[in-house]
Amino acid sequence: MAKDLRGRRRFGLEDDLGIPTLDDAPAVEAAPVSEPTTPGEWIHQNLFSSWINSLLTIVAGAFALFLLYSIINFTFFSADWTVVQTFMKAYMAGPFPIEEVWRIWVCAYIVSILAGLSLGISRWRPRIDRRSAVAAAIWAGPALLIILYVIRTALVLTLTAGILLAVAGGAVIGRAMGSRLRKPLFVAWFLLFPVMLLIVRGFDGVPPRFWGGLFFNLIAATIGIVVSFPFGILLALGRRSDLPAVRLVCVVIIEVFRGVPLIAWLIFSRFVVPLLLPQVDTPIIIRAFIAMTLFSSAYVAEIVRGGLQSVHSGQLEAGRALGLSPVRLTVLVVMPQALRSTIPPMIGHFISLFKDTSLFSVLAITELLAAARRSSSSLEFLGHDAETLLFAGLVFWIIAFSMSRWSQRLELRLGVGER
Amino acid sequence: MVQETEAQQQTEASASADDRMIVAEDVKKWFGHFQALKGVSMTVNRRETVVVVGPSGSGKSTFIRTINRLERHDGGRIIVDGTELTDDIRNIAQVRSEIGMVFQSFNLFPHLTVLQNITLAPRNVRHWPKKRAEEKAVQLLERVGIPEQANKFPGQLSGGQQQRVAIARALAMEPKIMLFDEPTSALDPEMIKEVLDVMEELAESGMTMIVVTHEIGFARHVADRVCLFDEGVLVEKASPDTFFDNPQHDRTKRFLSQIL
């Protein structure tokens, strides 16, 4: 009996259906190779292809040069960075007592080592070729210069360099240990937050009213993200529940908390909650964290709802037909797909939540932005707002940009097998 | 002709109550004001392959979807292997675990590998250990002819391969009944045969099957009985030879003249 390409028995239909057989395989031809362009050709094609492009290139180039000149001029000549150097501790830790700052350094080192280990066991490897090296030099060189110029305390410099070493060391160890570390690392990240709280608060530590600076922004953002993520998922699921009461409660929570600005919720948690519920005796900071978390949960819920809608109904039917219970169906089939499609808006929301932690300044907490503004209103450095705000902005940007890059990597990694 | 009818009556009489795998009595279904099923009665015996044909919108897909409760029937009775489908969740779970279903659009889980797709239900519904579920999955992938695809994702497979994985996924639960809802309608022509081959082998192995399809060749070749649905009614039910060569109803004749 005749066989097809895979050596299976033929049915007599192949010729009608056009199934290829061994006889009619076409010859393989190589794709044409494109000529590499010289730098001159590249410039001509991309910058001066027509008179209007030439004009745009010249105008934009002049503007870019002017901007570069102004930045260099400001950074190295007209700016006085003494204010940043003087208030560095306030920017990073607010009113945190200086003799207890070691607690924050310990936390920073733990995070760095964990981050390094995670980097080491991940499949990501730095690509080192000429192009990426040049790009890195252009981008990291000035950044390093600025950091060195701004931070001039030997101790801080040493400790900062130590953090980079901790990341690198962690990466090397992680690479050597491989995937054996995967489970312990997962547990370590999970335990990180309670351990950090213990380091900061425990052993005669520092109560929350002394927290401030970037340290506070990071703590607040972490709490907001870690709590609002699961809570938002529950709200989104509740909104699709079959039970009208559950649905109603979830819709009310989502719409109420989404409809009022975060800053209003923070003020509300400080001044109005004690009036409405005088029995509740929780510290301001806890009430404010709860307000922020509920606010963030409402947004997460709506993002997740979008993801849930993108899951095809056939997926539910297939799961049901296999006999999966509603809970297993949600956890094993629906959620992994729904959450994957929500990574970009979700990280976007978390980035804005991180930046919104600067709103805690209305509760008289000297987080990074408040510390920056306060430093330039001190008598000695009056009028140095440009330096302080630029520095605070740079710090916010570095962290937000890192989160955005991490989200891109996450998308790439989880995108495997998607159509 | 008379002899054949007698023979048919005999086989139906000799089928004891235990042999009836699916019993549907006067099944009715509405979507809003539209009545999709107007009282369908059908019995499918153990090891029997029933092919359901009919124009689109005739209720044939709706009917097989009521059998595993993807659609709730609004009237009549459905009994699957002695368990009646009611609103009782335990009965539904019991029936679903005995029925495998294959869909027109495959509905594989795109975030899981082929192997994970197949082992998901055995591990989480039957609570098999991982090793046992994977051994079963590898066996089934060999049976449907694609053991080398185990660690790929569904998006990396051709339509025909995806549908064969979907069949393996349904078989992994060791079902007593398999439902096929237009399994080849979304496939490119050259992939239809590889799926039909698997289904034919399955029918020969003694699986109880209901197949909604437009593949007349398959119906003739593999079916024990062929049914025509039209406007929510089961018009004609006969052996393939009678159905295609000597149909009793005018509606069947018209349908066959349109598709042949």
Side-chain angles (χ1 to χ4, degrees), chain B residues 124-149:
Chain B
N124 288 287
V125 180
R126 296 251 192 261
H127 302 291
W128 289 4
K130 184 176 178 185
K131 190 156 170 275
R132 179 176 169 197
E134 285 183 348
E135 280 167 5
K136 176 83 186 173
V138 170
Q139 271 175 27
L140 285 168
L141 282 173
E142 269 162 20
R143 187 169 171 190
V144 300
I146 40 173
E148 71 283 1
Q149 311 289 1

Short mmCIF file of all heavy atoms in Angstrom, two decimals, chain B residues 124-149:
data_model
loop_
_atom_site.label_atom_id
_atom_site.label_comp_id
_atom_site.label_asym_id
_atom_site.label_seq_id
_atom_site.Cartn_x
_atom_site.Cartn_y
_atom_site.Cartn_z
N ASN B 124 -5.40 16.50 38.44
CA ASN B 124 -6.19 17.38 39.31
C ASN B 124 -7.61 16.89 39.54
O ASN B 124 -8.26 17.34 40.48
CB ASN B 124 -6.21 18.79 38.74
CG ASN B 124 -4.86 19.46 38.88
OD1 ASN B 124 -4.48 19.83 39.97
ND2 ASN B 124 -4.14 19.57 37.78
N VAL B 125 -8.11 16.01 38.68
CA VAL B 125 -9.46 15.48 38.89
C VAL B 125 -9.38 14.06 39.43
O VAL B 125 -10.00 13.71 40.42
CB VAL B 125 -10.28 15.53 37.59
CG1 VAL B 125 -11.67 14.97 37.83
CG2 VAL B 125 -10.35 16.95 37.06
N ARG B 126 -8.54 13.23 38.80
CA ARG B 126 -8.39 11.84 39.24
C ARG B 126 -7.33 11.71 40.35
O ARG B 126 -7.19 10.65 40.94
CB ARG B 126 -7.97 10.96 38.07
CG ARG B 126 -9.00 10.86 36.96
CD ARG B 126 -9.63 9.49 36.92
NE ARG B 126 -10.40 9.30 35.71
CZ ARG B 126 -11.73 9.44 35.65
NH1 ARG B 126 -12.40 9.81 36.73
NH2 ARG B 126 -12.37 9.23 34.53
N HIS B 127 -6.54 12.77 40.55
CA HIS B 127 -5.49 12.79 41.58
C HIS B 127 -4.47 11.69 41.38
O HIS B 127 -4.01 11.06 42.32
CB HIS B 127 -6.10 12.70 42.98
CG HIS B 127 -7.06 13.81 43.24
ND1 HIS B 127 -6.68 15.12 43.38
CD2 HIS B 127 -8.41 13.82 43.33
CE1 HIS B 127 -7.73 15.88 43.56
NE2 HIS B 127 -8.81 15.12 43.53
N TRP B 128 -4.12 11.45 40.11
CA TRP B 128 -3.02 10.52 39.84
C TRP B 128 -1.70 11.19 40.19
O TRP B 128 -1.56 12.40 40.05
CB TRP B 128 -2.98 10.19 38.35
CG TRP B 128 -4.10 9.34 37.86
CD1 TRP B 128 -5.17 8.89 38.58
CD2 TRP B 128 -4.26 8.86 36.53
NE1 TRP B 128 -5.99 8.16 37.77
CE2 TRP B 128 -5.46 8.11 36.51
CE3 TRP B 128 -3.51 8.97 35.36
CZ2 TRP B 128 -5.93 7.49 35.36
CZ3 TRP B 128 -3.98 8.35 34.21
CH2 TRP B 128 -5.17 7.61 34.20
N PRO B 129 -0.71 10.37 40.62
CA PRO B 129 0.63 10.95 40.78
C PRO B 129 1.18 11.36 39.42
O PRO B 129 0.79 10.83 38.38
CB PRO B 129 1.44 9.82 41.38
CG PRO B 129 0.66 8.58 41.16
CD PRO B 129 -0.77 8.97 41.00
N LYS B 130 2.13 12.32 39.45
CA LYS B 130 2.67 12.90 38.23
C LYS B 130 3.21 11.83 37.27
O LYS B 130 2.96 11.88 36.07
CB LYS B 130 3.78 13.89 38.61
CG LYS B 130 4.36 14.64 37.45
CD LYS B 130 5.38 15.66 37.94
CE LYS B 130 5.99 16.38 36.73
NZ LYS B 130 7.05 17.30 37.09
N LYS B 131 3.94 10.87 37.85
CA LYS B 131 4.60 9.88 37.01
C LYS B 131 3.57 9.07 36.22
O LYS B 131 3.70 8.88 35.01
CB LYS B 131 5.45 8.95 37.90
CG LYS B 131 6.37 8.05 37.14
CD LYS B 131 7.55 7.60 38.00
CE LYS B 131 8.33 6.50 37.32
NZ LYS B 131 7.78 5.15 37.55
N ARG B 132 2.53 8.62 36.92
CA ARG B 132 1.52 7.80 36.26
C ARG B 132 0.83 8.60 35.14
O ARG B 132 0.64 8.10 34.03
CB ARG B 132 0.48 7.36 37.29
CG ARG B 132 -0.61 6.52 36.68
CD ARG B 132 -1.58 5.99 37.72
NE ARG B 132 -2.74 5.43 37.04
CZ ARG B 132 -3.89 5.18 37.64
NH1 ARG B 132 -4.03 5.47 38.93
NH2 ARG B 132 -4.89 4.67 36.97
N ALA B 133 0.49 9.88 35.44
CA ALA B 133 -0.19 10.71 34.45
C ALA B 133 0.69 10.91 33.22
O ALA B 133 0.21 10.87 32.08
CB ALA B 133 -0.58 12.05 35.05
N GLU B 134 2.00 11.09 33.45
CA GLU B 134 2.88 11.34 32.31
C GLU B 134 3.08 10.08 31.48
O GLU B 134 3.17 10.16 30.25
CB GLU B 134 4.22 11.91 32.80
CG GLU B 134 4.07 13.36 33.20
CD GLU B 134 5.36 14.02 33.62
OE1 GLU B 134 6.36 13.29 33.82
OE2 GLU B 134 5.35 15.26 33.77
N GLU B 135 3.17 8.93 32.15
CA GLU B 135 3.29 7.69 31.39
C GLU B 135 2.08 7.50 30.48
O GLU B 135 2.20 7.16 29.31
CB GLU B 135 3.43 6.50 32.34
CG GLU B 135 4.84 6.34 32.87
CD GLU B 135 4.93 5.37 34.04
OE1 GLU B 135 3.88 4.73 34.37
OE2 GLU B 135 6.01 5.25 34.62
N LYS B 136 0.89 7.76 31.06
CA LYS B 136 -0.34 7.64 30.29
C LYS B 136 -0.32 8.61 29.11
O LYS B 136 -0.69 8.26 27.98
CB LYS B 136 -1.53 7.95 31.21
CG LYS B 136 -2.87 7.95 30.52
CD LYS B 136 -3.41 6.55 30.41
CE LYS B 136 -4.68 6.55 29.58
NZ LYS B 136 -5.15 5.21 29.31
N ALA B 137 0.15 9.85 29.36
CA ALA B 137 0.17 10.87 28.31
C ALA B 137 1.08 10.45 27.17
O ALA B 137 0.74 10.60 25.99
CB ALA B 137 0.62 12.21 28.89
N VAL B 138 2.26 9.90 27.52
CA VAL B 138 3.20 9.47 26.48
C VAL B 138 2.58 8.35 25.64
O VAL B 138 2.65 8.35 24.41
CB VAL B 138 4.53 9.04 27.11
CG1 VAL B 138 5.42 8.37 26.08
CG2 VAL B 138 5.24 10.25 27.71
N GLN B 139 1.94 7.39 26.33
CA GLN B 139 1.22 6.32 25.60
C GLN B 139 0.22 6.89 24.61
O GLN B 139 0.15 6.47 23.46
CB GLN B 139 0.42 5.47 26.60
CG GLN B 139 1.15 4.30 27.21
CD GLN B 139 0.26 3.64 28.25
OE1 GLN B 139 -0.96 3.71 28.16
NE2 GLN B 139 0.87 3.03 29.24
N LEU B 140 -0.56 7.87 25.10
CA LEU B 140 -1.63 8.41 24.25
C LEU B 140 -1.05 9.19 23.08
O LEU B 140 -1.57 9.13 21.96
CB LEU B 140 -2.54 9.32 25.08
CG LEU B 140 -3.48 8.56 26.01
CD1 LEU B 140 -4.14 9.49 26.99
CD2 LEU B 140 -4.54 7.83 25.19
N LEU B 141 0.06 9.93 23.33
CA LEU B 141 0.67 10.66 22.23
C LEU B 141 1.18 9.69 21.17
O LEU B 141 1.13 9.97 19.98
CB LEU B 141 1.81 11.55 22.75
CG LEU B 141 1.36 12.84 23.42
CD1 LEU B 141 2.53 13.56 24.04
CD2 LEU B 141 0.66 13.74 22.41
N GLU B 142 1.68 8.53 21.61
CA GLU B 142 2.09 7.53 20.63
C GLU B 142 0.89 7.01 19.87
O GLU B 142 0.92 6.83 18.66
CB GLU B 142 2.82 6.37 21.33
CG GLU B 142 4.31 6.62 21.39
CD GLU B 142 5.00 5.75 22.44
OE1 GLU B 142 4.42 4.71 22.83
OE2 GLU B 142 6.11 6.14 22.86
N ARG B 143 -0.21 6.84 20.59
CA ARG B 143 -1.42 6.32 19.95
C ARG B 143 -1.93 7.27 18.87
O ARG B 143 -2.39 6.83 17.82
CB ARG B 143 -2.49 6.10 21.02
CG ARG B 143 -3.72 5.40 20.50
CD ARG B 143 -4.61 4.98 21.66
NE ARG B 143 -5.89 4.49 21.17
CZ ARG B 143 -6.92 4.24 21.95
NH1 ARG B 143 -6.82 4.42 23.26
NH2 ARG B 143 -8.05 3.80 21.44
N VAL B 144 -1.86 8.59 19.13
CA VAL B 144 -2.34 9.54 18.12
C VAL B 144 -1.22 9.96 17.17
O VAL B 144 -1.42 10.82 16.32
CB VAL B 144 -2.98 10.80 18.76
CG1 VAL B 144 -4.17 10.42 19.61
CG2 VAL B 144 -1.97 11.59 19.55
N GLY B 145 -0.03 9.36 17.33
CA GLY B 145 1.01 9.49 16.31
C GLY B 145 1.92 10.69 16.43
O GLY B 145 2.60 11.04 15.47
N ILE B 146 1.97 11.38 17.61
CA ILE B 146 2.88 12.53 17.71
C ILE B 146 3.66 12.52 19.02
O ILE B 146 3.66 13.51 19.76
CB ILE B 146 2.11 13.87 17.58
CG1 ILE B 146 0.78 13.81 18.32
CG2 ILE B 146 1.90 14.25 16.14
CD1 ILE B 146 0.06 15.13 18.37
N PRO B 147 4.36 11.40 19.34
CA PRO B 147 5.09 11.36 20.62
C PRO B 147 6.19 12.41 20.69
O PRO B 147 6.57 12.84 21.78
CB PRO B 147 5.67 9.95 20.64
CG PRO B 147 5.72 9.52 19.22
CD PRO B 147 4.55 10.19 18.55
N GLU B 148 6.71 12.87 19.54
CA GLU B 148 7.85 13.78 19.55
C GLU B 148 7.44 15.21 19.90
O GLU B 148 8.29 16.08 20.09
CB GLU B 148 8.57 13.75 18.20
CG GLU B 148 7.83 14.38 17.04
CD GLU B 148 6.70 13.52 16.46
OE1 GLU B 148 6.48 12.40 17.00
OE2 GLU B 148 6.03 13.96 15.51
N GLN B 149 6.14 15.48 20.01
CA GLN B 149 5.69 16.86 20.25
C GLN B 149 5.42 17.14 21.73
O GLN B 149 4.89 18.21 22.06
CB GLN B 149 4.40 17.14 19.46
CG GLN B 149 4.44 16.74 18.01
CD GLN B 149 5.34 17.65 17.18
OE1 GLN B 149 5.95 18.57 17.71
NE2 GLN B 149 5.46 17.37 15.90
#
